[in-house]
Amino acid sequence: MADGILAKLNGASSAEEFFALLGVDYDAKIVNVARLHILRRMGQYLAGEDFTGAADDVVVKRCTAVLERAYADFVASTPIDQRVFKVLKDAVAPQAKPTPTLVQLGTLK
């Protein structure tokens, strides 16, 4: 039943738990820097998955592959480069030029 591993992952409270539950090896230095980014990216990848009716072993394999893929993104680059969070995306988004405020000289006293 697909609820087995998904229920365990839903109850996980740390990135290390996700890696342990899925049996994925990791470098603690990378996870310490990018834990939230890795889990966010994993969530983005999982959003495209449909586990309806899938056997638990199939769900485990797919979740493992997704976690490995998300982790690999941050082995190859940094959280700043990957920009999975809105605040990081907004930091490099083109900003609209502020329009200058027009003050009529006749209104100044």
Side-chain angles (χ1 to χ4, degrees):
M1 176 172 222
D3 291 336
I5 191 64
L6 293 179
K8 289 177 184 175
L9 290 173
N10 193 41
S13 62
S14 70
E16 290 81 0
E17 273 188 82
F18 279 82
F19 284 94
L21 286 168
L22 295 171
V24 175
D25 292 329
Y26 64 93
D27 181 343
K29 291 178 186 176
I30 293 170
V31 171
N32 285 339
V33 171
R35 70 181 59 247
L36 295 176
H37 303 271
I38 293 168
L39 294 179
R40 173 68 175 222
R41 178 61 55 85
M42 181 185 180
Q44 290 171 338
Y45 291 153
L46 283 175
E49 297 283 334
D50 181 13
F51 297 120
T52 306
D56 199 47
D57 61 329
V58 172
V59 175
V60 169
K61 287 179 186 174
R62 288 166 62 186
C63 287
T64 300
V66 165
L67 179 57
E68 288 171 340
R69 181 177 166 202
Y71 175 71
D73 289 347
F74 295 94
V75 169
S77 66
T78 67
I80 296 295
D81 294 334
Q82 292 293 318
R83 300 191 189 276
V84 295
F85 289 103
K86 184 179 182 325
V87 68
L88 295 175
K89 290 177 187 174
D90 289 350
V92 295
Q95 302 293 320
K97 284 189 171 185
T99 56
T101 305
L102 179 62
V103 178
Q104 297 290 329
L105 290 177
T107 61
L108 297 175
K109 292 186 179 188

